[in-house]
Amino acid sequence: MHKRCQTTLPGGAVLSNVLEVDSLSVEFRINGEYFHAVHDVSFHIESGETLGIVGESGCGKSVTSLALLRLLTKNARVSGEVSYKGRNLLDLPDREMRQIRGNEVSMIFQEPMTSLNPVYKIGAQISEALRLHTQTTPRRAWQQSMEMLRSVGIARAEGVMGEYPHQLSGGMRQRVMIAMSMVCNPQLLIADEPTTALDVTIQAQILDLMRKLSKDLGTSVLLITHDLGVVAEMCDRVAVMYAGEIVEQGTAKDIFHNPQHPYTRGLLNAIPKLDAASKERLQPIEGNVPSLTRMPKGCHFAPRCPLVFEKCRAEAPGLFRVEPGHLSRCWLNDAQEGN
């Protein structure tokens, strides 16, 4: 179990959620016209818990995570509310946002080789975060950085401090990225595909490390992934995204044992099963995620859905309540609304 903590606001008010996202939408300008990459996304993350956002490539997962920290390109237009400690991050001045980013809210990007600066040594890059956000002396920042490297399982921390990113393996670089993101003891860690391109042994080590750090420090985690195995191992709750929308949301138990949306079922059916008969074929989801510029009318999943009917093609469904805390964006769940 994760260690639960609460956020106390000035005046004594207590929040159990470290982050609340309400009606977040992201549009990109393409050839003079704006198209939705993320539409009306809402979720929350409790203090100390791990929320997974899962879906195929192109579903809007990474765009959502970058929007939270205001790291999108200039052709993006963002609306909605991202509330952290009672403040809307989308409205904060740039100076205040820089104080939060990398300090109270940190991010691990998909590919550490492109995230680490190739011309600076590891020690300089980790200690820079401490010196930017705290009053720590250079000497103390260096010591804390070395201690953080040890805590993420790097035995020869002193040697790694003096090396460049290209001198490290992929797994070591990912550990360095985790150390850099955790060195300021953030309240929220956003991890965007943190185990992509790593072999399964290193992947398991990285996941164990993230889980241990989250438990020890009480850090909330937003985990972006396409891997349902990672979700099952790491997450308390799950949001399934498709074509820029959340199509199902619930506890990990809800998603794996009682999936309601046809897309969620399709993702689960596409997972290889060790106990399955040797001749049993995987069940792929036919077709592709629609382009931003060619979103289908009605339900975005309708062109690929095996259960589609006329209303799906004509009218977009809302998020229907299947049971408390379990939502599904499918007309088949309409009858369950209000139960």
Side-chain angles (χ1 to χ4, degrees):
M1 291 293 291
H2 290 288
K3 180 171 64 180
R4 302 289 177 182
C5 57
Q6 294 178 320
T7 299
T8 304
L9 299 177
V14 176
L15 291 177
S16 60
N17 296 334
V18 70
L19 186 77
E20 296 183 0
V21 178
D22 185 26
S23 301
L24 178 69
S25 292
V26 179
E27 300 170 279
F28 286 103
R29 187 173 181 176
I30 304 173
N31 295 328
E33 187 176 353
Y34 281 95
F35 297 92
H36 271 109
V38 171
H39 179 61
D40 197 25
V41 165
S42 298
F43 59 84
H44 71 275
I45 304 175
E46 293 182 21
S47 295
E49 81 165 345
T50 297
L51 172 70
I53 297 184
V54 66
E56 296 169 276
S57 296
C59 285
K61 308 184 303 297
S62 293
V63 171
T64 299
S65 66
L66 292 171
L68 301 182
L69 288 177
R70 290 168 45 180
L71 293 174
L72 292 170
T73 54
K74 291 183 179 180
N75 68 327
R77 185 166 66 185
V78 183
S79 60
E81 186 171 341
V82 178
S83 180
Y84 171 74
K85 288 187 175 180
R87 295 176 290 173
N88 184 5
L89 298 185
L90 301 183
D91 291 340
L92 289 184
D94 289 343
R95 183 177 179 180
E96 289 186 41
M97 192 64 208
R98 284 194 297 269
Q99 285 297 315
I100 291 174
R101 192 190 295 128
N103 181 23
E104 297 181 56
V105 182
S106 288
M107 187 164 184
I108 303 172
F109 296 93
Q110 284 190 37
E111 177 45 61
M113 196 59 192
T114 59
S115 303
L116 293 168
N117 193 320
V119 300
Y120 286 96
K121 293 179 180 179
I122 298 301
Q125 296 190 56
I126 300 177
S127 59
E128 181 185 31
L130 276 169
R131 295 184 64 189
L132 279 173
H133 296 296
T134 69
Q135 301 299 315
T136 307
T137 64
R139 181 184 178 87
R140 182 57 187 152
W142 189 268
Q143 288 295 326
Q144 284 184 244
S145 299
M146 206 170 352
E147 290 167 12
M148 197 69 223
L149 284 180
R150 292 194 183 101
S151 74
V152 298
I154 297 178
R156 56 180 197 91
E158 189 170 358
V160 169
M161 291 282 283
E163 294 179 349
Y164 293 95
H166 74 271
Q167 295 177 277
L168 306 178
S169 67
M172 287 278 277
R173 287 195 294 266
Q174 196 62 286
R175 288 174 186 271
V176 168
M177 283 298 300
I178 293 173
M180 191 180 300
S181 66
M182 299 296 289
V183 72
C184 291
N185 194 12
Q187 293 201 18
L188 174 63
L189 174 65
I190 301 173
D192 188 0
E193 301 279 7
T195 57
T196 296
L198 300 177
D199 67 56
V200 291
T201 303
I202 302 301
Q203 184 180 98
Q205 292 174 1
I206 295 297
L207 293 177
D208 286 342
L209 171 62
M210 289 180 59
R211 186 164 47 240
K212 180 180 184 301
L213 289 173
S214 173
K215 182 179 180 181
D216 291 348
L217 302 176
T219 303
S220 304
V221 179
L222 175 60
L223 179 63
I224 311 292
T225 184
H226 64 274
D227 190 332
L228 283 168
V230 170
V231 170
E233 188 174 346
M234 291 288 294
C235 299
D236 301 303
R237 290 186 301 110
V238 184
V240 181
M241 281 194 78
Y242 182 78
E245 297 179 326
I246 290 179
V247 296
E248 187 163 0
Q249 188 171 171
T251 64
K253 182 179 179 180
D254 290 336
I255 298 302
F256 284 95
H257 297 290
N258 187 29
Q260 293 295 308
H261 197 280
Y263 180 62
T264 307
R265 293 184 191 132
L267 291 176
L268 291 168
N269 289 336
I271 300 175
K273 298 174 178 63
L274 292 176
D275 59 347
S278 59
K279 294 183 180 180
E280 184 177 330
R281 294 175 63 88
L282 294 179
Q283 301 176 40
I285 303 174
E286 300 295 336
N288 298 297
V289 178
S291 163
L292 264 64
T293 58
R294 295 185 178 181
M295 283 292 176
K297 185 180 178 181
C299 175
H300 291 170
F301 188 60
R304 305 175 69 188
C305 183
L307 304 176
V308 64
F309 53 97
E310 187 175 346
K311 187 175 184 180
C312 305
R313 302 185 192 279
E315 191 176 342
L319 271 172
F320 299 113
R321 179 173 173 264
V322 178
E323 56 188 1
H326 190 181
L327 307 173
S328 174
R329 192 181 298 274
C330 180
W331 286 118
L332 293 172
N333 299 120
D334 188 13
Q336 296 173 278
E337 175 77 1
N339 289 349

